[in-house]
Amino acid sequence: MALQPLLLHLAFLRLGTTGPLVQGRGFRSQTVAWPSFFDFNWPQEVQETIQIPNNGSAPLLVDVQVFVSNVFNVDILRYTLSSMLLLRLSWLDSRLAWNTSVHPQHAVTLPWDSLWTPGLTIQEALWVDWQDQSPRARVDPDGHVILYLALTTETNCDFELLHFPRDQSDCNLSFYALSNTVLELEFRARAVNEIVSVKREYVVRDLKTQVPPQQLVPCFQVTLRLQNTALKAVIALLVPGEALLLADMCGGLLPLRATERIAYKVTLLLGYLVFHSSLVQALPSSSSCNPLLIYYFTVLLLLLSVSTMETVLLAALPAGGNLSPAPRGEQQDRGDPGPHPAEAPRVKGSRRSWAEAADHIFFLVYVVGVVCSQFFFIGFWMWATCKSDPAPGKAIPHGGQPRL
């Protein structure tokens, strides 16, 4: 009968169960399974919900460690990413303490729904999937509780894509305990980067946690800093665009009267139009701070169009001056003797030489303009900044998160 005081104490605490720990898919209530030395036939008391442990005038302090083991499926078109996390929650519940001199057990493990646990909700989550459907908490003799939760989640992220594909963004995971107030519960959080795989397009460069101030409900926030490695985008987007622009400049070296030049220019323009249409679908769009590459490839399209139109117009000038002369009899009837036969080749040659000179000048100006535009874009890329518009939930007077 030495265990009777402890059993009475735990029998009162085991009354009732809490709801799910975190909102998500696949988390359901579990049957209470107490350790073997707690198995006894005891009269059932009135069922009531287990309350948060009382910490006097101060809120209960829950220490949280967030282990980030993987970040994958970064989708900039949907503004989402998936991550695998392990949460270590620990707090003190003096109601679960026992005397080790009487009961020498060093620790016991209890189901999560047999004692009070903080109910967490991830604000940015689209879904949450738990790896362990029935987690168990470790209870030390002094009432110190430790609970591990492993989860995979897909969350929204406001990617900053102005400098795509060398973009860097901060993605937040905000954990809220909606069933408690800041007067009852307080979080102290820290994060640990345990990502061992670097075979990703986006890599995690930094990881930090914070507790936002002046909130109505207890919360803590995990911030992932993601950086794009840019290799895929450079090979798939920048290299083909620069190759087409270089090929267009080389096409200016062909003779103006060569029939292959117009066909060459038109083929390049049509090919770039196909590339540009697929490019628009591959690049993300936003209400503010769109990627600079969208404007860059639009400028390339204008340059190719101007180069093609210049070739067509200047090539048509000599042909327009070579009009078929009217019959000699009609010229005499009209009293117009017409040009001397020896002057016709000279007029035609002068028009051709004028068109070729204009084409040569345009080619030099075009090359200089293309080179200058590349340097201008590089400088603009390095120094340009953009501040996104505030979210409706943070903009005043449209709304805002509840604060004290």
Side-chain angles (χ1 to χ4, degrees), residues 107-164:
V108 294
T109 57
L110 303 176
W112 68 273
D113 54 358
S114 64
L115 69 163
W116 177 89
T117 54
L120 299 178
T121 300
I122 304 178
Q123 184 182 28
E124 298 85 0
L126 301 178
W127 53 262
V128 179
D129 194 9
W130 298 95
Q131 298 182 13
D132 188 358
Q133 300 296 324
S134 56
R136 301 179 69 85
R138 173 190 171 94
V139 182
D140 293 334
D142 59 353
H144 189 252
V145 184
I146 301 177
L147 177 65
Y148 286 92
L149 300 173
L151 65 144
T152 302
T153 179
E154 184 180 40
T155 55
N156 288 319
C157 179
D158 292 331
F159 294 107
E160 296 293 341
L161 301 173
L162 179 69
H163 295 95
F164 177 84

Side-chain angles (χ1 to χ4, degrees), residues 311-391:
T311 298
V312 173
L313 292 177
L314 292 183
L317 283 179
N322 189 19
L323 299 176
S324 300
R328 189 173 184 83
E330 295 182 4
Q331 293 179 359
Q332 291 178 355
D333 294 339
R334 294 194 303 262
D336 185 7
H340 193 273
E343 295 178 358
R346 187 163 52 249
V347 173
K348 182 179 179 180
S350 63
R351 291 182 178 178
R352 181 180 301 176
S353 61
W354 177 87
E356 291 176 352
D359 179 68
H360 181 70
I361 295 174
F362 176 83
F363 174 74
L364 297 178
V365 173
Y366 182 72
V367 171
V368 173
V370 168
V371 174
C372 292
S373 66
Q374 302 302 303
F375 283 104
F376 174 78
F377 181 76
I378 293 175
F380 191 73
W381 177 283
M382 296 177 60
W383 301 107
T385 58
C386 180
K387 185 177 181 180
S388 300
D389 297 334

Side-chain angles (χ1 to χ4, degrees), residues 178-234:
L178 300 179
S179 59
N180 300 104
T181 66
V182 292
L183 301 178
E184 299 173 331
L185 181 62
E186 179 183 351
F187 288 110
R188 183 175 59 190
R190 67 185 185 93
V192 180
N193 191 345
E194 291 193 338
I195 300 176
V196 296
S197 176
V198 294
K199 303 295 184 180
R200 296 286 187 272
E201 183 179 1
Y202 280 84
V203 295
V204 179
R205 294 301 185 189
D206 191 18
L207 187 63
K208 61 182 180 180
T209 60
Q210 64 174 343
V211 177
Q214 298 181 351
Q215 298 290 332
L216 290 177
V217 294
C219 67
F220 65 93
Q221 191 175 76
V222 180
T223 302
L224 307 172
R225 176 159 293 181
L226 302 179
Q227 184 174 359
N228 194 347
T229 56
L231 181 60
K232 177 182 176 181
V234 168

Side-chain angles (χ1 to χ4, degrees), residues 32-48:
V32 177
W34 288 85
S36 58
F37 68 91
F38 286 157
D39 291 338
F40 61 100
N41 295 323
W42 197 260
Q44 293 295 322
E45 303 290 342
V46 178
Q47 299 293 314
E48 63 182 24

Side-chain angles (χ1 to χ4, degrees), residues 14-323:
R14 67 183 289 187
L15 299 178
T17 58
T18 61
L21 290 171
V22 180
Q23 289 183 357
R25 299 182 304 180
F27 215 103
R28 57 184 181 271
S29 300
Q30 304 293 327
T31 304
V32 177
W34 288 85
S36 58
F37 68 91
F38 286 157
D39 291 338
F40 61 100
N41 295 323
W42 197 260
Q44 293 295 322
E45 303 290 342
V46 178
Q47 299 293 314
E48 63 182 24
T49 303
I50 297 179
Q51 300 296 323
I52 184 173
N54 187 6
N55 198 29
S57 59
L60 177 66
L61 181 62
V62 176
D63 187 76
V64 183
Q65 288 182 281
V66 183
F67 300 90
V68 182
S69 59
N70 198 3
V71 175
F72 58 100
N73 288 345
V74 179
D75 192 340
I76 59 176
L77 297 180
R78 297 176 55 235
Y79 286 88
T80 60
L81 78 153
S82 300
S83 54
M84 299 179 65
L85 309 174
L86 176 65
L87 303 181
R88 182 186 184 272
L89 308 175
S90 61
W91 64 94
L92 182 63
D93 192 344
S94 58
R95 300 172 300 181
L96 300 178
W98 69 85
N99 190 350
T100 55
S101 61
V102 180
H103 313 291
Q105 287 78 12
H106 296 289
V108 294
T109 57
L110 303 176
W112 68 273
D113 54 358
S114 64
L115 69 163
W116 177 89
T117 54
L120 299 178
T121 300
I122 304 178
Q123 184 182 28
E124 298 85 0
L126 301 178
W127 53 262
V128 179
D129 194 9
W130 298 95
Q131 298 182 13
D132 188 358
Q133 300 296 324
S134 56
R136 301 179 69 85
R138 173 190 171 94
V139 182
D140 293 334
D142 59 353
H144 189 252
V145 184
I146 301 177
L147 177 65
Y148 286 92
L149 300 173
L151 65 144
T152 302
T153 179
E154 184 180 40
T155 55
N156 288 319
C157 179
D158 292 331
F159 294 107
E160 296 293 341
L161 301 173
L162 179 69
H163 295 95
F164 177 84
R166 294 296 298 174
D167 53 290
Q168 183 172 282
S169 304
D170 291 338
C171 299
N172 297 323
L173 283 79
S174 304
F175 294 81
Y176 285 84
L178 300 179
S179 59
N180 300 104
T181 66
V182 292
L183 301 178
E184 299 173 331
L185 181 62
E186 179 183 351
F187 288 110
R188 183 175 59 190
R190 67 185 185 93
V192 180
N193 191 345
E194 291 193 338
I195 300 176
V196 296
S197 176
V198 294
K199 303 295 184 180
R200 296 286 187 272
E201 183 179 1
Y202 280 84
V203 295
V204 179
R205 294 301 185 189
D206 191 18
L207 187 63
K208 61 182 180 180
T209 60
Q210 64 174 343
V211 177
Q214 298 181 351
Q215 298 290 332
L216 290 177
V217 294
C219 67
F220 65 93
Q221 191 175 76
V222 180
T223 302
L224 307 172
R225 176 159 293 181
L226 302 179
Q227 184 174 359
N228 194 347
T229 56
L231 181 60
K232 177 182 176 181
V234 168
I235 296 176
L237 302 178
L238 291 178
V239 172
E242 294 294 333
L244 282 173
L245 190 60
L246 181 61
D248 182 68
M249 289 190 295
C250 293
L253 300 176
L254 295 175
L256 181 62
R257 294 294 298 165
T259 57
E260 295 84 1
R261 177 170 172 175
I262 296 180
Y264 179 83
K265 292 275 189 176
V266 172
T267 302
L268 281 180
L269 181 59
L270 293 178
Y272 187 79
L273 286 174
V274 175
F275 171 74
H276 191 269
S277 62
S278 61
L279 174 69
V280 171
Q281 299 178 359
L283 289 178
S285 60
S286 174
S287 58
S288 59
C289 299
N290 283 287
L292 292 175
L293 279 186
I294 294 180
Y295 307 100
Y296 174 72
F297 285 112
T298 303
V299 171
L300 289 189
L301 177 61
L302 295 177
L303 289 174
L304 290 176
S305 301
V306 171
S307 176
T308 303
M309 289 188 294
E310 179 270 342
T311 298
V312 173
L313 292 177
L314 292 183
L317 283 179
N322 189 19
L323 299 176

